[in-house]
Amino acid sequence: MRLGALAWATLATAVVGVVVGVVLVRSVAADPEAELPTQAAALAIGVEDDWPPFAWTEKPGQTPRGYAVEVVRLVFRDMGVPVNIVAMPFDRCMHEARVGKLAACFNSVFSDKIRKDYLLHSTPLFNEPLAVLARASAPRETINAKDLEGRTVGYVQGYQYPDWFMNNKAIVRVAAPGDSALLLMLERGRVELAMTGATVAAWRLQTNPDLRDVKVRMVGQVSNDGFGVAFSKQHPHGEVLRRGFDQALLKLQANDGLRELQRRHLPLLAQ
């Protein structure tokens, strides 16, 4: 990681938002029509393939790994529902869940816009701060959403950014194909600022040797969004799976069953 001590502390503090809340949900068993699927074949669940440390693969076709992947596996195990978690590009994953080819896709942001086309469980799997990054050599300032107007701001193509950012014509947006490319774009001066997940950016900077000379710092946080599983409205088991997922996730949270996964996959929290 090539962040100064203060910048690293600021970024790590933002990352502490990666926690899971607890809410009460109606028991699936209380609904006579809500019976979890018992087919022998595993249900196909999609996951994005390039958003570490939450979900990623090293190469196409590999088994996905990451914090969110393990949490989702645990939840479905506790539900007694066999699943096959398939990694793919995020936009394809969300499309196949929307049309019912997949039972669900993760990690989707929790928003009213997403709820129009998908079924979201009550409690996010985690929260991820949407950070504004600048070059370490740039003048020190604190950036909010309004301050982005009139600036050249890099973002990752295909990520779920808020409408106020994507639709504001006063913001000069420049797309990058991924987080690593975005950070290099920022370092090389192609953009003044970059917007991406704080945890993801820190992970990339710490683990990607191509970024060893990149020096950036966090200058703002414009949101702290919840992320989780978007269940298909078109899949025959979409609604009952969402309810069952709620119930099983609640039990894991109540028993503090996610702490070890957080320690193992999100080590930045401990730094």
Side-chain angles (χ1 to χ4, degrees):
M1 184 69 178
R2 296 301 189 272
L3 290 175
L6 179 60
W8 173 257
T10 302
L11 192 56
T13 298
V15 172
V16 175
V18 185
V19 295
V20 182
V22 176
V23 297
L24 293 176
V25 297
R26 183 161 61 98
S27 171
V28 175
D31 188 340
E33 297 181 1
E35 296 181 1
L36 291 171
T38 58
Q39 73 265 29
L43 276 172
I45 304 293
V47 64
E48 60 187 323
D49 60 0
D50 192 29
W51 210 45
F54 302 111
W56 83 99
T57 60
E58 296 291 346
K59 297 178 181 178
Q62 287 187 338
T63 300
R65 55 192 294 196
Y67 174 74
V69 175
E70 290 211 33
V71 173
V72 169
R73 283 197 182 112
L74 278 177
V75 173
F76 277 106
R77 182 203 66 185
D78 291 351
M79 291 167 61
V81 176
V83 294
N84 179 28
I85 300 178
V86 184
M88 62 187 70
F90 182 67
D91 53 355
R92 174 187 160 198
C93 182
M94 291 297 287
H95 170 74
E96 293 194 3
R98 184 174 60 83
V99 300
K101 186 174 181 179
L102 293 171
C105 172
F106 66 102
N107 302 290
S108 172
V109 69
F110 275 28
S111 70
D112 291 339
K113 182 178 180 179
I114 296 299
R115 286 186 178 90
K116 292 179 181 179
D117 295 317
Y118 303 88
L119 302 166
L120 299 178
H121 46 99
S122 299
T123 306
L125 296 177
F126 59 88
N127 282 60
E128 170 70 335
L130 182 55
V132 182
L133 306 178
R135 291 184 296 280
S137 60
R140 291 195 172 274
E141 58 182 330
T142 300
I143 300 292
N144 59 34
K146 187 67 175 177
D147 296 329
L148 298 176
E149 294 183 354
R151 311 287 284 271
T152 302
V153 184
Y155 71 101
V156 179
Q157 185 73 41
Y159 279 11
Q160 295 171 322
Y161 285 89
D163 288 341
W164 62 259
F165 173 71
M166 297 303 295
N167 297 334
N168 190 337
K169 295 181 179 179
I171 301 174
V172 182
R173 293 179 300 278
V174 180
D179 292 291
S180 295
L182 177 64
L183 292 166
L184 287 171
M185 183 186 295
L186 177 62
E187 170 71 11
R188 294 166 181 171
R190 291 186 56 196
V191 293
E192 293 179 72
L193 303 167
M195 277 200 2
T196 191
T199 314
V200 178
W203 193 94
R204 297 282 193 195
L205 288 164
Q206 190 179 47
T207 62
N208 188 341
D210 293 336
L211 303 177
R212 61 183 179 276
D213 295 325
V214 172
K215 298 179 181 179
V216 302
R217 70 171 183 270
M218 182 173 169
V219 295
Q221 177 182 317
V222 294
S223 65
N224 187 29
D225 300 305
F227 288 82
V229 182
F231 291 92
S232 175
K233 286 187 175 182
Q234 305 304 319
H235 193 277
H237 300 303
E239 173 59 21
V240 67
L241 287 170
R242 181 190 68 82
R243 294 182 187 178
F245 194 92
D246 267 329
Q247 187 177 26
L249 180 59
L250 173 62
K251 289 181 180 179
L252 275 176
Q253 295 163 353
N255 297 328
D256 204 19
L258 303 179
R259 185 175 298 277
E260 172 59 23
L261 292 182
Q262 290 175 351
R263 185 197 65 77
R264 181 152 33 99
H265 289 283
L266 308 173
L268 294 177
L269 294 176
Q271 295 188 13

